[in-house]
Structure formats: C-alpha cells, structure tokens
Amino acid sequence: MNEKAKAPAAAGGNSRANTKKELPEHLKSYKHVWVLMELERGVVHPVSWELLGEGRKLADQLKVDLAGVVLGAPGGTDQAVADCFGYGADVCYVVESPSLADYRNEPYTDAMTELVNKYQPEILLLGATNLGRDLAGSVATTLLTGLTADCTELAVDAEGSLAATRPTFGGSLLCTIYTLNYRPQMATMRPRVAAMPLYQAGRTGRVVRHEVNLPEDNIITKVLSFLPDTSSDKANLPYADVVVAGGLGMQNLDNFQLIRNLASVLGAEWGGSRPCVQKGWITSDRQIGQTGKTIRPRLYIACGISGAIQHRVGVEGADLIVAINTDKNAPIFDFAHVGIAADAVKVLPALTEGFRRRLASATTRSAAE
Ligand SMILES: Cc1cc2nc3c(=O)[nH]c(=O)nc-3n(C[C@H](O)[C@H](O)[C@H](O)COP(=O)(O)OP(=O)(O)OC[C@H]3O[C@@H](n4cnc5c(N)ncnc54)[C@H](O)[C@@H]3O)c2cc1C
C-alpha cells in the first residue's frame, strides 16, 4: 500500500507511478466492483444503497460490472436482491445460510472471503457502520489486502486504481490511499457521505447464488436473543430531514434547551459540536462532524458553532445551512447559505415562536380546506 498526501502528488515530484509495482499475475484476473448489502433483520442499511451509487460511478469508469453481495438467512434475501438491482447493480451474489441469519463476524468473514476468492472482485466497498467496520477489518486481514476506512471520496485514477480519500492528521489534511499490489482494493464509507442514488423500479440483473458450508459447531459466537434498543432519546441524525445543532456559543447546558425547543417545533433531530460532548451538554451519539455523525438534511440550523473544518465535513452535504453566530467573520459563514449575525440565545426563542405560529396556522388552513 502507498499512502500519500494530495498536495505533494499534485506537485508532481512524488508521483504514484514511482511506487507502483506490477500486480502479481494471480491478481490480474480480479475484476468488477462489489458492494456489501448490510442486511439486518430484513432491513438493508441505507448506506448500502449510497455505496451502490458510488460503486456505479467506479464501475462505469472501469467499464466493469457493479455487484451487490447479499448474505442472510434462507428465504430472507429476496427484497434486498430486488432493491439491489433497483439501486444500480448489474449482478447480485447471494449467500443464504441459517448461520448468516444474524450478523456474526466469523461466518460473515468466512462467507465473504470465500466469495471474493472464487469470483475475484477488484474493488470491495462496505459501509463504515458497526457491522461494516467489524467485517471489513477481518475480511481484509484474512485476504491479506489493504483497507481504507472512513473514506470521504472514492475515485478511479488514470491507471484504473481505486483512489480512496480520507481525512488524516486530525482532519487537517486529506490523504489518498491506494492498494496497488493487492486485491481486492477495500474501502469503507460512512452513512450520508455519499448521496442516495435514484431507485429505478423494474430494473433487474443477474443473480449468482453461492453455496457455503458454515457448520454452527465451528462458530464460537452464539445469538441467544435479540433485545432492540427501545430508548426514546435515540438520535437518528444521519437520516434526519431537519437538524438543529448548538456549539460552544450556546454557553451552557441550560441554553441547550433552546436547541431542543426549536427541534421539537420543527419535528427535527438535534445535536452539537464536539466540545459540547466534552462539556457533557450532549451525548456522543449527537456529535456532528468528522468524528461524529455525517448529516445530509434538507435544512441544517447551526447555532453558536464556529464552522471548524472537522465540523464542516460532517454538514456540507445539507441542502440549506442556516448559521447563527455573533461573529460575522466566523468560518461557518463561508459555507452557510443563510447567515444570521446575532446572539443565538436571543434569536432562538423568537425563531421557535415564529415557526410555532407559522406551522400552527398552516395546519389550521389545511384542516379547513
Ligand atoms: C481530530 C479532531 C476531530 C474533531 N472532530 C470534530 C467533530 O466531529 N465535530 C466537531 O464539531 N468538532 C470536531 N473537532 C473540533 C473542532 O476542531 C472545533 O474545535 C469545534 O468544532 C469547535 O466547536 P464550536 O464551534 O462549538 O466552538 P468554538 O470554535 O469555540 O465556536 C463557538 C462559536 O460560537 C460563537 N458564539 C459565541 N457566543 C455566541 C452566541 N451567544 N450566539 C451565537 N454565536 C455565538 C463564536 O463566535 C464562535 O464562532 C475535532 C477536532 C479534532 C482535532
């Protein structure tokens, strides 16, 4: 593997070509782009569709097939396979086994590595979710290949290699990592980093069913029961349509209630910047940014947040960013679509009341019609 920062490469003195070795003969037959469909309890994690969208672009550039990989219980994969084609796959590799009913690292790693060794993809993408991170690491180490985690951009370079870009040095630099001498080239990407592709109803493709032998006796981990997390205060920031967030400019824990009030009126999710987690104002599952959640809402309202690069990378996919900040030179105004240079502690109650009235009168009007 070769890790390089973007800037030196662009300058030309340290070209990737200088370090590229000939791909070993037995790896030259590896072709096509694969995406793991993260299927749990009958539901595919949306990051899998987002990755199919990214995979489609890579496959088109390489002029190869895009394949989805569906692992699951017998009879439990049909919908995932159909949707896989709808979201752009040409081929779907399906492995069904009672041992694959719930995610466990051992049988999933065995099934994935067996599939890769038999059908030989050149690129394998997984979501940077708990499941994807766990599986990607063990598959990459079992196959002795390279894995680039938490990518923010995936591309194919002029020589047809996967250029996997991710933040480094605490987010102050982006580096592009290549897996030049091993196959497949593996990468993970977090939910919402890529846009959702369009679903094309009725689109079909080729299904390849693969038989595996995964005796339960060989698997140490057992699923005894499934206890869903029923906590009502569970954040779903990545897939929220509207997000309201606060930063250190909110000044204290009590003022953070103003963020929650606005979110409640808008039916929105709420979160904050990393220092708010460190101060104990919010829990870490509500942190937005590079080391927190990536969001892509239709509306993002950032209150008392400076807009540091580590925060920006997590929010710039939002359709509309509204920033409230006392400092008119704050970096957040460089990328916000609407800027309000004012004290968020004063503006938020007025904004919340304004939205409350507006939404109430809209509801009354539509009930009267
Ligand atoms: C490796 C690494 C990872 C990181 N990951 C993340 C991450 O995932 N997410 C993240 O957010 N940060 C992350 N950070 C931290 C990041 O660098 C910034 O320090 C952080 O985003 C700043 O938070 P803030 O904007 O709330 O605070 P500050 O930078 O202190 O900004 C507060 C802002 O509030 C404004 N303000 C003050 N009073 C008011 C008021 N009354 N009304 C309105 N505005 C007011 C100020 O003008 C200022 O712009 C990371 C840092 C590192 C090194």
Side-chain angles (χ1 to χ4, degrees), residues 169-171 246-251 272-276 287-293 303-311 324-327 330-331 342-345:
F169 289 109
L248 278 188
M250 293 309 295
Q251 297 160 21
S273 62
R274 182 157 101 157
C276 300
Q287 180 187 321
I288 297 167
Q290 184 196 310
T291 44
K293 300 288 187 312
C303 313
I305 293 178
S306 60
I309 181 65
Q310 294 89 355
H311 189 82
I324 308 171
N325 197 303
T326 43
D327 176 5
D343 182 344
V345 178

Side-chain angles (χ1 to χ4, degrees), residues 154-211:
L154 298 170
V156 170
D157 78 354
E159 292 170 51
S161 299
L162 177 69
T165 300
R166 55 153 298 149
T168 187
F169 289 109
S172 52
L173 282 176
L174 289 176
C175 69
T176 300
I177 299 178
Y178 294 87
T179 298
L180 296 178
N181 312 118
Y182 302 91
R183 289 293 180 270
Q185 303 157 91
M186 289 182 61
T188 65
M189 191 176 249
R190 289 199 298 170
R192 295 307 245 170
V193 169
M196 189 80 162
L198 280 181
Y199 184 81
Q200 302 165 63
R203 194 175 176 283
T204 58
R206 186 163 62 91
V207 177
V208 178
R209 292 193 177 272
H210 182 81
E211 299 293 323

Side-chain angles (χ1 to χ4, degrees), residues 22-34 62-65 93 115-123 180-185:
E22 181 77 357
L23 196 62
E25 206 54 44
H26 73 284
L27 296 177
K28 286 188 178 162
S29 53
Y30 280 61
K31 269 209 167 34
H32 308 302
V33 178
W34 283 17
L62 289 165
K63 298 189 175 43
V64 298
D65 285 342
Y93 292 92
L115 272 183
V116 167
N117 284 329
K118 182 162 169 59
Y119 300 100
Q120 307 187 333
E122 60 192 303
I123 293 175
L180 296 178
N181 312 118
Y182 302 91
R183 289 293 180 270
Q185 303 157 91

